[in-house]
Amino acid sequence: MAEKKQDGILETIKTIFWALIIAGVFRTLFFQPFWIPTGSMKDTLLIGDFLFVNKMAYGYSQYSCPFGICPFSGRILASDPERGDVVVFRHPTLGTDYVKRLIGLPGDKIQLKNGIVFINGVEAPQTPGGVFEEIKESQGRFGTIPICANRPVGLGGVCEKERSIETLPNGVQHSVLNVATGRNDNTNVFTVPEGHFFFMGDNRDNSTDSRVSQNAGGVGMVPFEYLLGRADRIMFSSAGKRLVYFWTWRSDRFFKAIE
């Protein structure tokens, strides 16, 4: 009887071991889960959206493995990202995963004038896209309070942001939000080095991105090897602090394609 019990324990340990191995391989090679913790990509991505990152999209680098332990340098099976992709990448100095939109490719010259993006001297036009509305309240596990263009707004009030539709040179269209004219709405010309990319958040006045250098607390230019994959689809979404708060689930965002 003791032998059977011992065999059962060993089988359970083996099952758990192989399940972890399979899960690790799946996470390394195919898809990585990612929760949206901040509002920098509103209204494309909302705080509490859950998605899988397509790690096959751009090939694999050292950082494709959990904790950045893949035993090789450079990138294998590489495919070039496209302008307008929503990308999850590892911050080059902080080691934190970020999600932003790819705006600048290697060799591009990027500049913002009054909140409008110019790529190689050509404007990425914005057309009016209505108003983005949300309740001014604590959002997500960090308890973030949104910034409103129609301030002052009290807690529980309707918080508004101007929405525009931006068209990139390759025809990709996506919404961007604007609250007010800020210091990052007018910039010098950024030249994207070879092997690097320039990222911005869609919530332009509430995004830490490539407009600010890493030394100044921003993202700066991101090397190709730090790209983890492309965000293609929202699988699940919850507006609450905890997943078990089913009344905060956003069923209209389940399985929604990311544009």
Side-chain angles (χ1 to χ4, degrees):
M1 193 70 176
E3 276 188 27
K4 287 185 178 180
K5 186 174 181 180
Q6 188 174 20
D7 289 344
I9 293 172
L10 287 174
E11 286 302 318
T12 300
I13 292 172
K14 286 180 182 179
T15 301
I16 294 172
F17 172 78
W18 286 113
L20 291 173
I21 292 294
I22 292 170
V25 170
F26 184 85
R27 185 181 184 279
T28 298
L29 296 181
F30 302 109
F31 298 97
Q32 175 177 325
F34 188 80
W35 284 98
I36 302 301
T38 70
S40 69
M41 281 296 292
K42 290 178 181 176
D43 64 338
T44 303
L45 298 173
L46 302 182
I47 295 174
D49 283 348
F50 174 77
L51 49 90
F52 281 109
V53 181
N54 181 357
K55 302 184 80 168
M56 299 176 287
Y58 310 133
Y60 306 93
S61 73
Q62 169 189 343
Y63 301 98
S64 298
C65 291
F67 312 110
I69 59 172
C70 281
F72 53 83
S73 59
R75 200 165 195 102
I76 61 173
L77 303 176
S79 296
D80 291 334
E82 296 184 7
R83 197 189 314 275
D85 284 357
V86 176
V87 179
V88 174
F89 59 88
R90 184 73 43 83
H91 191 288
T93 59
L94 300 179
T96 306
D97 292 346
Y98 279 53
V99 58
K100 305 289 178 185
R101 190 176 297 276
L102 176 54
I103 299 296
L105 302 174
D108 281 345
K109 295 184 182 299
I110 310 293
Q111 185 177 23
L112 273 84
K113 301 177 183 179
N114 298 318
I116 303 297
V117 177
F118 286 77
I119 302 174
N120 299 321
V122 179
E123 177 184 348
Q126 295 183 9
T127 56
V131 176
F132 172 72
E133 296 183 345
E134 59 185 336
I135 301 299
K136 186 173 182 179
E137 59 185 358
S138 174
Q139 297 181 351
R141 62 185 179 186
F142 296 139
T144 304
I145 303 294
I147 302 172
C148 312
N150 59 327
R151 53 193 167 190
V153 178
L155 290 176
V158 177
C159 181
E160 298 179 353
K161 293 180 179 66
E162 176 188 339
R163 179 197 281 124
S164 300
I165 305 301
E166 182 174 82
T167 302
L168 298 176
N170 58 349
V172 171
Q173 293 186 320
H174 61 98
S175 67
V176 296
L177 301 183
N178 182 60
V179 174
T181 300
R183 61 180 181 177
N184 292 325
D185 285 337
N186 290 280
T187 71
N188 295 323
V189 176
F190 300 98
T191 300
V192 185
E194 285 302 315
H196 291 68
F197 299 92
F198 185 98
F199 290 95
M200 291 178 65
D202 291 347
N203 191 1
R204 292 285 164 81
D205 295 321
N206 189 26
S207 175
T208 300
D209 51 40
S210 294
R211 289 173 288 179
V212 178
S213 70
Q214 294 162 22
N215 292 335
V219 170
M221 306 295 173
V222 181
F224 193 11
E225 65 183 294
Y226 287 90
L227 272 57
L228 302 182
R230 187 179 62 222
D232 291 331
R233 189 173 296 274
I234 299 164
M235 304 304 295
F236 178 83
S237 184
S238 173
K241 287 187 176 182
R242 299 184 185 278
L243 186 61
V244 295
Y245 297 167
F246 63 88
W247 57 90
T248 66
W249 293 357
R250 306 182 186 107
S251 57
D252 60 319
R253 297 184 67 79
F254 291 8
F255 309 111
K256 181 180 179 181
I258 298 172
E259 298 177 351

